[in-house]
Amino acid sequence: MNFPSTIYEFVRQQEVVFGQDIEVLENWNWNMKEHIRTSMLFKHGKFKTATNTLETKDPFKNVVYPILNLRYRAEDIDVKDIVFYVNDETKDHLSLLVKKYHEEVYAKEHQLDTFFDEAKEEKIDFGGVLIRKAKSGPQYEPMESIAFCDQTDLLSGPIGFKQFYSPDQLYEMEKQGWGNVKNGANVTVDELITLAENKKQQETNKGYKNTTPGKYIEIYRVHGSLPIQYLKDDGDQNERYVRQFHILGFYKGESGKDEGVTLYKAQEYENPFKTHLSGKKIRNRALAYGGVEELFDTQIWTNFSEIKKKDMLEAASKVIFQTADEAYAARNKIKDMENLEITVTRDGTAITQVPTGSPNIRLFNEWIREWEVQGRFTSGATEAILGVQPSAGTPFRSLQLQAVESHGLHDYRRGKYATFIEEIYRDWILPDIARELSQGKKFFAILNADELEYVVNRMEQNAWENHKKERVLSGELVFEAQKYEFQRMWRERFLRRGNRQPFELLKDELKDVPLKVQVNISGKQQNLSLMVDKFVNVLRQMLATYNPQTRTFAIFDDPRMVKIFSKIIEQSGLNPVDFGVNASVPSLGTERALATEPLQELTKTQPGASGNKRELMNV
């Protein structure tokens, strides 16, 4: 590739190239800029070429946006789906602290929930999303802000982004070193604002200028492997290319031509971008088969039919009369006649209405319906999950099954997105969290029922062990029978504080401790009504084995029955661990029954001891 002599000429040159088509296959040309433009127009209910004003607007029946909204919901991933754990047996208890710190502190400070949603919508709309590593956390780059890139592979060549900054926004960027000569700037922020025009003129695809009041400065951000001369004038000629980063501004010179200036430039030591392609990947294309692109034909032909229907309705709404009396129209003005007024025609003639209605409008309705069904089928948006009223007589169970099966395609796409999220966490977020936690942190977190039970069980056991040590060191006796009463009272006092609890990680407590992460998306999209039915069926199996005399469930007391019950739970799509089911371990009811036996042994008196003394526990 032949590079121009300056970075400014390179940017302008690549913008022109970015507007040209590339060949994907024989007889298939594609342009990324046009793809992004068309996707945005169709998503928001706008025509590609026709006038979109309300006065002259043809009907646009938006079939794209409802299906996109369905995909946004069906392929969603939230922060609560991210599962952290410490990959060290001796420090596994810290997993909960890391998890809650991520949910309650890190995710909120870095707005990860918003990032997940924006990245998800971007990759669904256009067939891909571009993520950048920033100081404030991972950020997605809007596709419409791309000024140029390699249209065959987003990350294989230099990439530039075009944005408009107001003076206030530029002054904020001074905090990051923009306009500082130490960072390679050849103009200050103040100087660039002075040079900029007192209006924003953004050129549109048709060459028009969008003009807005106030100063808005055209800023380009360029990343990539470029000639070293772009970075420093005295660069080593043997090192021809180096990864670098530029912040450039453009303004109109005295001759009317664009003049470029540099606000910031530096060497990059790693690629700050990651990309994820959603949908079917296409060779020789930077973006996959996008969610809007899937519906291009559906939207085009639906609009065609709606426009033809509108023309038919306009024709049918006209009332036109015909008569053989040639002089009738000159003698009478029908539109000025009063109601019940009598009119006279020549002998042997009559006045009749010209039929203008079209008997073929039903065909257009059928045509539109067929295209809508095709669009839903392509995008996996069946009536069951769209919330559309089913046809009369549709069995409820059949509708439930359709809803579950329809989520298959969305779960597949969601799984691919989850893998991408794990990669971002593994490469960018986990090191950042570990670095923050190694400094020591104090924070409050809200615990759910399972987390609160886990914390209480651990802490009450530790409290009892500490209590025993203190009593023994004080020369007092400690009995096993005291344990349950102590733990009960301790638990009651602890739970009075509610589920909002303080946490603290000590400095360097997690230093060099390996952290792991996974995105838990299993079963999230299961149909709620089906889940309720499954729980009810499992509950019936449990209640059928209840013994009111022992107040236990026989199904948990027999390992053989536990194994069968575990299979029932698995076949219901539920997790046996959530029910505390393990065929190799006695159940909770058995464990409590056995726990009473040692207490009877403790009532035996020790040799030489008084009758009310019990055997001292080993501490």
Side-chain angles (χ1 to χ4, degrees), residues 487-527:
Q487 289 183 335
R488 184 188 65 79
M489 296 179 62
W490 188 95
R491 176 182 288 257
E492 288 180 356
R493 288 196 302 269
F494 184 87
L495 292 178
R496 290 194 193 106
R497 296 157 58 180
N499 63 341
R500 186 173 180 270
Q501 300 290 339
F503 286 81
E504 180 177 3
L505 275 164
L506 304 179
K507 187 176 181 180
D508 295 332
E509 190 174 10
L510 279 174
K511 186 177 182 180
D512 300 327
V513 174
L515 300 179
K516 296 292 183 181
V517 65
Q518 67 178 12
V519 182
N520 181 21
I521 62 171
S522 60
K524 184 183 176 189
Q525 294 293 344
Q526 289 180 346
N527 185 275

mmCIF file of all heavy atoms in Angstrom, residues 487-527:
data_model
loop_
_atom_site.group_PDB
_atom_site.id
_atom_site.type_symbol
_atom_site.label_atom_id
_atom_site.label_comp_id
_atom_site.label_asym_id
_atom_site.label_seq_id
_atom_site.Cartn_x
_atom_site.Cartn_y
_atom_site.Cartn_z
ATOM 1 N N GLN A 487 -25.779 -21.032 68.141
ATOM 2 C CA GLN A 487 -25.877 -20.678 66.720
ATOM 3 C C GLN A 487 -27.250 -20.087 66.388
ATOM 4 O O GLN A 487 -27.355 -19.190 65.547
ATOM 5 C CB GLN A 487 -25.610 -21.904 65.855
ATOM 6 C CG GLN A 487 -24.148 -22.344 65.876
ATOM 7 C CD GLN A 487 -23.888 -23.520 64.957
ATOM 8 O OE1 GLN A 487 -24.802 -24.290 64.658
ATOM 9 N NE2 GLN A 487 -22.658 -23.678 64.516
ATOM 10 N N ARG A 488 -28.308 -20.593 67.027
ATOM 11 C CA ARG A 488 -29.641 -20.046 66.777
ATOM 12 C C ARG A 488 -29.712 -18.588 67.189
ATOM 13 O O ARG A 488 -30.217 -17.733 66.448
ATOM 14 C CB ARG A 488 -30.690 -20.872 67.534
ATOM 15 C CG ARG A 488 -32.127 -20.442 67.268
ATOM 16 C CD ARG A 488 -33.085 -21.156 68.192
ATOM 17 N NE ARG A 488 -32.878 -20.793 69.585
ATOM 18 C CZ ARG A 488 -33.329 -19.656 70.143
ATOM 19 N NH1 ARG A 488 -34.004 -18.775 69.416
ATOM 20 N NH2 ARG A 488 -33.092 -19.393 71.415
ATOM 21 N N MET A 489 -29.193 -18.283 68.385
ATOM 22 C CA MET A 489 -29.239 -16.894 68.861
ATOM 23 C C MET A 489 -28.337 -16.004 68.011
ATOM 24 O O MET A 489 -28.692 -14.861 67.702
ATOM 25 C CB MET A 489 -28.809 -16.861 70.338
ATOM 26 C CG MET A 489 -29.751 -17.605 71.267
ATOM 27 S SD MET A 489 -29.178 -17.571 72.993
ATOM 28 C CE MET A 489 -29.221 -15.814 73.322
ATOM 29 N N TRP A 490 -27.176 -16.539 67.636
ATOM 30 C CA TRP A 490 -26.274 -15.747 66.817
ATOM 31 C C TRP A 490 -26.907 -15.442 65.459
ATOM 32 O O TRP A 490 -26.824 -14.332 64.956
ATOM 33 C CB TRP A 490 -24.964 -16.502 66.604
ATOM 34 C CG TRP A 490 -23.896 -15.662 65.925
ATOM 35 C CD1 TRP A 490 -22.922 -14.947 66.523
ATOM 36 C CD2 TRP A 490 -23.746 -15.466 64.517
ATOM 37 N NE1 TRP A 490 -22.150 -14.303 65.579
ATOM 38 C CE2 TRP A 490 -22.637 -14.612 64.335
ATOM 39 C CE3 TRP A 490 -24.412 -15.922 63.397
ATOM 40 C CZ2 TRP A 490 -22.200 -14.203 63.083
ATOM 41 C CZ3 TRP A 490 -23.987 -15.513 62.151
ATOM 42 C CH2 TRP A 490 -22.892 -14.667 61.999
ATOM 43 N N ARG A 491 -27.563 -16.440 64.852
ATOM 44 C CA ARG A 491 -28.211 -16.261 63.552
ATOM 45 C C ARG A 491 -29.316 -15.210 63.644
ATOM 46 O O ARG A 491 -29.455 -14.359 62.746
ATOM 47 C CB ARG A 491 -28.776 -17.601 63.077
ATOM 48 C CG ARG A 491 -29.571 -17.535 61.776
ATOM 49 C CD ARG A 491 -30.119 -18.907 61.427
ATOM 50 N NE ARG A 491 -29.072 -19.800 60.981
ATOM 51 C CZ ARG A 491 -28.858 -20.109 59.696
ATOM 52 N NH1 ARG A 491 -29.629 -19.586 58.765
ATOM 53 N NH2 ARG A 491 -27.894 -20.922 59.368
ATOM 54 N N GLU A 492 -30.108 -15.252 64.698
ATOM 55 C CA GLU A 492 -31.192 -14.285 64.849
ATOM 56 C C GLU A 492 -30.647 -12.868 64.931
ATOM 57 O O GLU A 492 -31.187 -11.943 64.313
ATOM 58 C CB GLU A 492 -32.021 -14.609 66.090
ATOM 59 C CG GLU A 492 -32.883 -15.846 65.952
ATOM 60 C CD GLU A 492 -33.677 -16.125 67.209
ATOM 61 O OE1 GLU A 492 -33.481 -15.379 68.210
ATOM 62 O OE2 GLU A 492 -34.484 -17.074 67.210
ATOM 63 N N ARG A 493 -29.580 -12.677 65.708
ATOM 64 C CA ARG A 493 -28.985 -11.337 65.821
ATOM 65 C C ARG A 493 -28.436 -10.865 64.467
ATOM 66 O O ARG A 493 -28.599 -9.706 64.089
ATOM 67 C CB ARG A 493 -27.864 -11.339 66.864
ATOM 68 C CG ARG A 493 -28.337 -11.447 68.287
ATOM 69 C CD ARG A 493 -27.224 -11.046 69.254
ATOM 70 N NE ARG A 493 -26.038 -11.877 69.068
ATOM 71 C CZ ARG A 493 -25.789 -12.996 69.713
ATOM 72 N NH1 ARG A 493 -26.693 -13.451 70.605
ATOM 73 N NH2 ARG A 493 -24.696 -13.685 69.501
ATOM 74 N N PHE A 494 -27.802 -11.770 63.740
ATOM 75 C CA PHE A 494 -27.211 -11.394 62.454
ATOM 76 C C PHE A 494 -28.286 -11.017 61.425
ATOM 77 O O PHE A 494 -28.149 -10.029 60.705
ATOM 78 C CB PHE A 494 -26.362 -12.550 61.924
ATOM 79 C CG PHE A 494 -25.629 -12.230 60.646
ATOM 80 C CD1 PHE A 494 -24.380 -11.634 60.678
ATOM 81 C CD2 PHE A 494 -26.187 -12.528 59.410
ATOM 82 C CE1 PHE A 494 -23.706 -11.340 59.501
ATOM 83 C CE2 PHE A 494 -25.525 -12.235 58.235
ATOM 84 C CZ PHE A 494 -24.277 -11.634 58.286
ATOM 85 N N LEU A 495 -29.363 -11.803 61.378
ATOM 86 C CA LEU A 495 -30.393 -11.572 60.367
ATOM 87 C C LEU A 495 -31.211 -10.317 60.643
ATOM 88 O O LEU A 495 -31.926 -9.845 59.747
ATOM 89 C CB LEU A 495 -31.316 -12.784 60.280
ATOM 90 C CG LEU A 495 -30.668 -14.060 59.709
ATOM 91 C CD1 LEU A 495 -31.662 -15.205 59.716
ATOM 92 C CD2 LEU A 495 -30.152 -13.813 58.290
ATOM 93 N N ARG A 496 -31.137 -9.790 61.865
ATOM 94 C CA ARG A 496 -31.845 -8.535 62.142
ATOM 95 C C ARG A 496 -31.285 -7.386 61.308
ATOM 96 O O ARG A 496 -31.967 -6.386 61.070
ATOM 97 C CB ARG A 496 -31.736 -8.179 63.623
ATOM 98 C CG ARG A 496 -32.539 -9.098 64.545
ATOM 99 C CD ARG A 496 -32.671 -8.501 65.927
ATOM 100 N NE ARG A 496 -33.151 -9.475 66.889
ATOM 101 C CZ ARG A 496 -32.406 -10.042 67.818
ATOM 102 N NH1 ARG A 496 -31.114 -9.704 67.932
ATOM 103 N NH2 ARG A 496 -32.907 -10.922 68.646
ATOM 104 N N ARG A 497 -30.049 -7.522 60.841
ATOM 105 C CA ARG A 497 -29.423 -6.463 60.034
ATOM 106 C C ARG A 497 -29.904 -6.478 58.596
ATOM 107 O O ARG A 497 -29.561 -5.592 57.816
ATOM 108 C CB ARG A 497 -27.906 -6.637 60.082
ATOM 109 C CG ARG A 497 -27.328 -6.448 61.468
ATOM 110 C CD ARG A 497 -25.994 -7.141 61.639
ATOM 111 N NE ARG A 497 -25.005 -6.686 60.674
ATOM 112 C CZ ARG A 497 -23.761 -7.139 60.602
ATOM 113 N NH1 ARG A 497 -23.368 -8.081 61.445
ATOM 114 N NH2 ARG A 497 -22.931 -6.686 59.706
ATOM 115 N N GLY A 498 -30.695 -7.484 58.213
ATOM 116 C CA GLY A 498 -31.239 -7.533 56.859
ATOM 117 C C GLY A 498 -30.259 -8.139 55.866
ATOM 118 O O GLY A 498 -29.224 -8.714 56.238
ATOM 119 N N ASN A 499 -30.576 -7.982 54.594
ATOM 120 C CA ASN A 499 -29.742 -8.602 53.555
ATOM 121 C C ASN A 499 -28.716 -7.634 52.965
ATOM 122 O O ASN A 499 -28.018 -7.986 52.025
ATOM 123 C CB ASN A 499 -30.623 -9.161 52.434
ATOM 124 C CG ASN A 499 -31.400 -8.068 51.714
ATOM 125 O OD1 ASN A 499 -31.573 -6.968 52.232
ATOM 126 N ND2 ASN A 499 -31.878 -8.376 50.535
ATOM 127 N N ARG A 500 -28.628 -6.419 53.512
ATOM 128 C CA ARG A 500 -27.589 -5.481 53.081
ATOM 129 C C ARG A 500 -26.447 -5.550 54.095
ATOM 130 O O ARG A 500 -26.576 -5.077 55.220
ATOM 131 C CB ARG A 500 -28.140 -4.056 52.981
ATOM 132 C CG ARG A 500 -27.160 -3.038 52.405
ATOM 133 C CD ARG A 500 -27.848 -1.698 52.180
ATOM 134 N NE ARG A 500 -26.926 -0.717 51.622
ATOM 135 C CZ ARG A 500 -26.172 0.110 52.327
ATOM 136 N NH1 ARG A 500 -26.257 0.086 53.668
ATOM 137 N NH2 ARG A 500 -25.352 0.969 51.752
ATOM 138 N N GLN A 501 -25.332 -6.124 53.642
ATOM 139 C CA GLN A 501 -24.252 -6.437 54.556
ATOM 140 C C GLN A 501 -22.944 -5.772 54.112
ATOM 141 O O GLN A 501 -22.707 -5.564 52.919
ATOM 142 C CB GLN A 501 -24.033 -7.954 54.623
ATOM 143 C CG GLN A 501 -25.233 -8.742 55.104
ATOM 144 C CD GLN A 501 -25.508 -8.506 56.579
ATOM 145 O OE1 GLN A 501 -24.625 -8.088 57.328
ATOM 146 N NE2 GLN A 501 -26.750 -8.753 56.998
ATOM 147 N N PRO A 502 -22.084 -5.416 55.081
ATOM 148 C CA PRO A 502 -20.780 -4.826 54.738
ATOM 149 C C PRO A 502 -19.762 -5.916 54.388
ATOM 150 O O PRO A 502 -19.753 -6.994 54.975
ATOM 151 C CB PRO A 502 -20.379 -4.099 56.022
ATOM 152 C CG PRO A 502 -21.037 -4.883 57.108
ATOM 153 C CD PRO A 502 -22.314 -5.425 56.538
ATOM 154 N N PHE A 503 -18.906 -5.612 53.410
ATOM 155 C CA PHE A 503 -17.832 -6.518 53.003
ATOM 156 C C PHE A 503 -16.515 -5.753 53.032
ATOM 157 O O PHE A 503 -16.481 -4.535 52.827
ATOM 158 C CB PHE A 503 -18.073 -7.051 51.587
ATOM 159 C CG PHE A 503 -19.154 -8.083 51.485
ATOM 160 C CD1 PHE A 503 -20.493 -7.717 51.436
ATOM 161 C CD2 PHE A 503 -18.845 -9.431 51.445
ATOM 162 C CE1 PHE A 503 -21.491 -8.659 51.344
ATOM 163 C CE2 PHE A 503 -19.836 -10.388 51.353
ATOM 164 C CZ PHE A 503 -21.153 -10.003 51.299
ATOM 165 N N GLU A 504 -15.457 -6.497 53.239
ATOM 166 C CA GLU A 504 -14.128 -5.873 53.210
ATOM 167 C C GLU A 504 -13.104 -6.884 52.682
ATOM 168 O O GLU A 504 -13.065 -8.037 53.108
ATOM 169 C CB GLU A 504 -13.698 -5.409 54.602
ATOM 170 C CG GLU A 504 -12.313 -4.757 54.590
ATOM 171 C CD GLU A 504 -11.899 -4.233 55.956
ATOM 172 O OE1 GLU A 504 -12.682 -4.438 56.924
ATOM 173 O OE2 GLU A 504 -10.815 -3.635 56.060
ATOM 174 N N LEU A 505 -12.301 -6.422 51.736
ATOM 175 C CA LEU A 505 -11.166 -7.190 51.240
ATOM 176 C C LEU A 505 -9.896 -6.495 51.692
ATOM 177 O O LEU A 505 -9.727 -5.285 51.487
ATOM 178 C CB LEU A 505 -11.201 -7.277 49.707
ATOM 179 C CG LEU A 505 -12.063 -8.400 49.136
ATOM 180 C CD1 LEU A 505 -12.344 -8.162 47.663
ATOM 181 C CD2 LEU A 505 -11.366 -9.741 49.307
ATOM 182 N N LEU A 506 -9.010 -7.236 52.333
ATOM 183 C CA LEU A 506 -7.775 -6.651 52.853
ATOM 184 C C LEU A 506 -6.784 -6.405 51.725
ATOM 185 O O LEU A 506 -6.832 -7.043 50.676
ATOM 186 C CB LEU A 506 -7.167 -7.580 53.899
ATOM 187 C CG LEU A 506 -8.086 -7.946 55.077
ATOM 188 C CD1 LEU A 506 -7.362 -8.896 56.020
ATOM 189 C CD2 LEU A 506 -8.557 -6.696 55.810
ATOM 190 N N LYS A 507 -5.903 -5.484 51.948
ATOM 191 C CA LYS A 507 -4.894 -5.162 50.940
ATOM 192 C C LYS A 507 -4.025 -6.382 50.658
ATOM 193 O O LYS A 507 -3.584 -7.086 51.564
ATOM 194 C CB LYS A 507 -4.029 -4.004 51.434
ATOM 195 C CG LYS A 507 -3.048 -3.485 50.388
ATOM 196 C CD LYS A 507 -2.290 -2.272 50.885
ATOM 197 C CE LYS A 507 -1.330 -1.753 49.820
ATOM 198 N NZ LYS A 507 -0.570 -0.569 50.285
ATOM 199 N N ASP A 508 -3.811 -6.627 49.392
ATOM 200 C CA ASP A 508 -2.989 -7.743 48.887
ATOM 201 C C ASP A 508 -3.578 -9.113 49.219
ATOM 202 O O ASP A 508 -2.910 -10.134 49.044
ATOM 203 C CB ASP A 508 -1.549 -7.670 49.434
ATOM 204 C CG ASP A 508 -0.808 -6.450 48.929
ATOM 205 O OD1 ASP A 508 -1.150 -5.984 47.819
ATOM 206 O OD2 ASP A 508 0.087 -5.965 49.629
ATOM 207 N N GLU A 509 -4.837 -9.156 49.686
ATOM 208 C CA GLU A 509 -5.448 -10.454 49.995
ATOM 209 C C GLU A 509 -5.651 -11.287 48.729
ATOM 210 O O GLU A 509 -5.611 -12.509 48.764
ATOM 211 C CB GLU A 509 -6.789 -10.243 50.699
ATOM 212 C CG GLU A 509 -7.378 -11.525 51.277
ATOM 213 C CD GLU A 509 -8.634 -11.251 52.103
ATOM 214 O OE1 GLU A 509 -9.133 -10.108 52.062
ATOM 215 O OE2 GLU A 509 -9.106 -12.175 52.776
ATOM 216 N N LEU A 510 -5.870 -10.580 47.597
ATOM 217 C CA LEU A 510 -6.063 -11.281 46.339
ATOM 218 C C LEU A 510 -4.875 -11.116 45.396
ATOM 219 O O LEU A 510 -4.998 -11.352 44.195
ATOM 220 C CB LEU A 510 -7.336 -10.779 45.643
ATOM 221 C CG LEU A 510 -8.653 -11.368 46.152
ATOM 222 C CD1 LEU A 510 -9.833 -10.683 45.499
ATOM 223 C CD2 LEU A 510 -8.712 -12.859 45.900
ATOM 224 N N LYS A 511 -3.753 -10.716 45.941
ATOM 225 C CA LYS A 511 -2.581 -10.527 45.097
ATOM 226 C C LYS A 511 -2.127 -11.875 44.544
ATOM 227 O O LYS A 511 -1.950 -12.845 45.278
ATOM 228 C CB LYS A 511 -1.454 -9.887 45.911
ATOM 229 C CG LYS A 511 -0.245 -9.518 45.060
ATOM 230 C CD LYS A 511 0.812 -8.810 45.898
ATOM 231 C CE LYS A 511 2.002 -8.406 45.042
ATOM 232 N NZ LYS A 511 3.052 -7.722 45.837
ATOM 233 N N ASP A 512 -1.959 -11.915 43.233
ATOM 234 C CA ASP A 512 -1.508 -13.122 42.525
ATOM 235 C C ASP A 512 -2.479 -14.294 42.667
ATOM 236 O O ASP A 512 -2.104 -15.441 42.413
ATOM 237 C CB ASP A 512 -0.125 -13.560 43.013
ATOM 238 C CG ASP A 512 0.934 -12.489 42.786
ATOM 239 O OD1 ASP A 512 0.811 -11.765 41.788
ATOM 240 O OD2 ASP A 512 1.849 -12.383 43.621
ATOM 241 N N VAL A 513 -3.719 -14.019 43.059
ATOM 242 C CA VAL A 513 -4.729 -15.072 43.137
ATOM 243 C C VAL A 513 -5.463 -15.137 41.801
ATOM 244 O O VAL A 513 -5.991 -14.122 41.333
ATOM 245 C CB VAL A 513 -5.731 -14.812 44.282
ATOM 246 C CG1 VAL A 513 -6.859 -15.844 44.249
ATOM 247 C CG2 VAL A 513 -5.014 -14.854 45.619
ATOM 248 N N PRO A 514 -5.504 -16.297 41.143
ATOM 249 C CA PRO A 514 -6.149 -16.372 39.825
ATOM 250 C C PRO A 514 -7.664 -16.252 39.930
ATOM 251 O O PRO A 514 -8.310 -16.930 40.737
ATOM 252 C CB PRO A 514 -5.737 -17.764 39.319
ATOM 253 C CG PRO A 514 -5.461 -18.552 40.552
ATOM 254 C CD PRO A 514 -4.920 -17.581 41.566
ATOM 255 N N LEU A 515 -8.236 -15.350 39.130
ATOM 256 C CA LEU A 515 -9.677 -15.183 39.066
ATOM 257 C C LEU A 515 -10.193 -15.796 37.775
ATOM 258 O O LEU A 515 -9.551 -15.713 36.728
ATOM 259 C CB LEU A 515 -10.059 -13.701 39.117
ATOM 260 C CG LEU A 515 -9.646 -12.918 40.356
ATOM 261 C CD1 LEU A 515 -10.077 -11.466 40.219
ATOM 262 C CD2 LEU A 515 -10.242 -13.525 41.608
ATOM 263 N N LYS A 516 -11.359 -16.395 37.847
ATOM 264 C CA LYS A 516 -12.000 -16.979 36.678
ATOM 265 C C LYS A 516 -13.412 -16.416 36.552
ATOM 266 O O LYS A 516 -14.007 -15.960 37.528
ATOM 267 C CB LYS A 516 -12.054 -18.511 36.785
ATOM 268 C CG LYS A 516 -10.691 -19.188 36.810
ATOM 269 C CD LYS A 516 -9.966 -19.049 35.475
ATOM 270 C CE LYS A 516 -8.637 -19.779 35.492
ATOM 271 N NZ LYS A 516 -7.902 -19.640 34.212
ATOM 272 N N VAL A 517 -13.936 -16.469 35.321
ATOM 273 C CA VAL A 517 -15.277 -15.945 35.074
ATOM 274 C C VAL A 517 -15.958 -16.809 34.028
ATOM 275 O O VAL A 517 -15.301 -17.387 33.154
ATOM 276 C CB VAL A 517 -15.214 -14.475 34.594
ATOM 277 C CG1 VAL A 517 -14.528 -14.378 33.252
ATOM 278 C CG2 VAL A 517 -16.600 -13.861 34.540
ATOM 279 N N GLN A 518 -17.268 -16.921 34.152
ATOM 280 C CA GLN A 518 -18.068 -17.563 33.118
ATOM 281 C C GLN A 518 -19.412 -16.853 33.050
ATOM 282 O O GLN A 518 -19.858 -16.258 34.031
ATOM 283 C CB GLN A 518 -18.257 -19.052 33.382
ATOM 284 C CG GLN A 518 -19.099 -19.360 34.601
ATOM 285 C CD GLN A 518 -19.301 -20.850 34.804
ATOM 286 O OE1 GLN A 518 -18.648 -21.659 34.176
ATOM 287 N NE2 GLN A 518 -20.216 -21.203 35.682
ATOM 288 N N VAL A 519 -20.040 -16.908 31.875
ATOM 289 C CA VAL A 519 -21.352 -16.302 31.692
ATOM 290 C C VAL A 519 -22.385 -17.411 31.773
ATOM 291 O O VAL A 519 -22.410 -18.316 30.941
ATOM 292 C CB VAL A 519 -21.443 -15.576 30.337
ATOM 293 C CG1 VAL A 519 -22.802 -14.922 30.185
ATOM 294 C CG2 VAL A 519 -20.342 -14.527 30.223
ATOM 295 N N ASN A 520 -23.209 -17.347 32.803
ATOM 296 C CA ASN A 520 -24.209 -18.385 33.038
ATOM 297 C C ASN A 520 -25.511 -17.989 32.363
ATOM 298 O O ASN A 520 -26.258 -17.153 32.856
ATOM 299 C CB ASN A 520 -24.427 -18.565 34.544
ATOM 300 C CG ASN A 520 -25.445 -19.654 34.836
ATOM 301 O OD1 ASN A 520 -25.702 -20.504 34.003
ATOM 302 N ND2 ASN A 520 -26.026 -19.605 36.016
ATOM 303 N N ILE A 521 -25.779 -18.595 31.201
ATOM 304 C CA ILE A 521 -27.000 -18.258 30.461
ATOM 305 C C ILE A 521 -27.938 -19.451 30.369
ATOM 306 O O ILE A 521 -28.936 -19.396 29.670
ATOM 307 C CB ILE A 521 -26.668 -17.765 29.045
ATOM 308 C CG1 ILE A 521 -25.972 -18.870 28.246
ATOM 309 C CG2 ILE A 521 -25.832 -16.517 29.075
ATOM 310 C CD1 ILE A 521 -25.808 -18.549 26.788
ATOM 311 N N SER A 522 -27.621 -20.543 31.036
ATOM 312 C CA SER A 522 -28.428 -21.760 30.900
ATOM 313 C C SER A 522 -29.817 -21.552 31.471
ATOM 314 O O SER A 522 -29.983 -21.139 32.611
ATOM 315 C CB SER A 522 -27.748 -22.926 31.624
ATOM 316 O OG SER A 522 -27.599 -22.629 32.998
ATOM 317 N N GLY A 523 -30.815 -21.823 30.648
ATOM 318 C CA GLY A 523 -32.193 -21.825 31.115
ATOM 319 C C GLY A 523 -32.792 -20.467 31.362
ATOM 320 O O GLY A 523 -33.901 -20.356 31.830
ATOM 321 N N LYS A 524 -32.081 -19.369 31.029
ATOM 322 C CA LYS A 524 -32.626 -18.065 31.362
ATOM 323 C C LYS A 524 -33.887 -17.752 30.557
ATOM 324 O O LYS A 524 -34.779 -17.069 31.021
ATOM 325 C CB LYS A 524 -31.581 -16.985 31.097
ATOM 326 C CG LYS A 524 -32.059 -15.611 31.528
ATOM 327 C CD LYS A 524 -31.054 -14.547 31.205
ATOM 328 C CE LYS A 524 -31.624 -13.187 31.570
ATOM 329 N NZ LYS A 524 -30.805 -12.087 31.108
ATOM 330 N N GLN A 525 -33.951 -18.272 29.321
ATOM 331 C CA GLN A 525 -35.071 -17.945 28.465
ATOM 332 C C GLN A 525 -36.179 -18.998 28.520
ATOM 333 O O GLN A 525 -37.021 -19.051 27.647
ATOM 334 C CB GLN A 525 -34.572 -17.801 27.020
ATOM 335 C CG GLN A 525 -33.630 -16.631 26.815
ATOM 336 C CD GLN A 525 -34.321 -15.304 26.999
ATOM 337 O OE1 GLN A 525 -35.546 -15.232 26.998
ATOM 338 N NE2 GLN A 525 -33.566 -14.249 27.179
ATOM 339 N N GLN A 526 -36.140 -19.885 29.537
ATOM 340 C CA GLN A 526 -37.189 -20.890 29.622
ATOM 341 C C GLN A 526 -38.535 -20.225 29.869
ATOM 342 O O GLN A 526 -38.636 -19.236 30.585
ATOM 343 C CB GLN A 526 -36.890 -21.876 30.751
ATOM 344 C CG GLN A 526 -35.716 -22.793 30.433
ATOM 345 C CD GLN A 526 -35.449 -23.759 31.559
ATOM 346 O OE1 GLN A 526 -35.946 -23.589 32.656
ATOM 347 N NE2 GLN A 526 -34.648 -24.768 31.277
ATOM 348 N N ASN A 527 -39.562 -20.814 29.270
ATOM 349 C CA ASN A 527 -40.891 -20.258 29.404
ATOM 350 C C ASN A 527 -41.351 -20.334 30.857
ATOM 351 O O ASN A 527 -41.275 -21.385 31.485
ATOM 352 C CB ASN A 527 -41.852 -21.031 28.499
ATOM 353 C CG ASN A 527 -43.241 -20.431 28.493
ATOM 354 O OD1 ASN A 527 -44.046 -20.736 29.353
ATOM 355 N ND2 ASN A 527 -43.491 -19.578 27.529
#
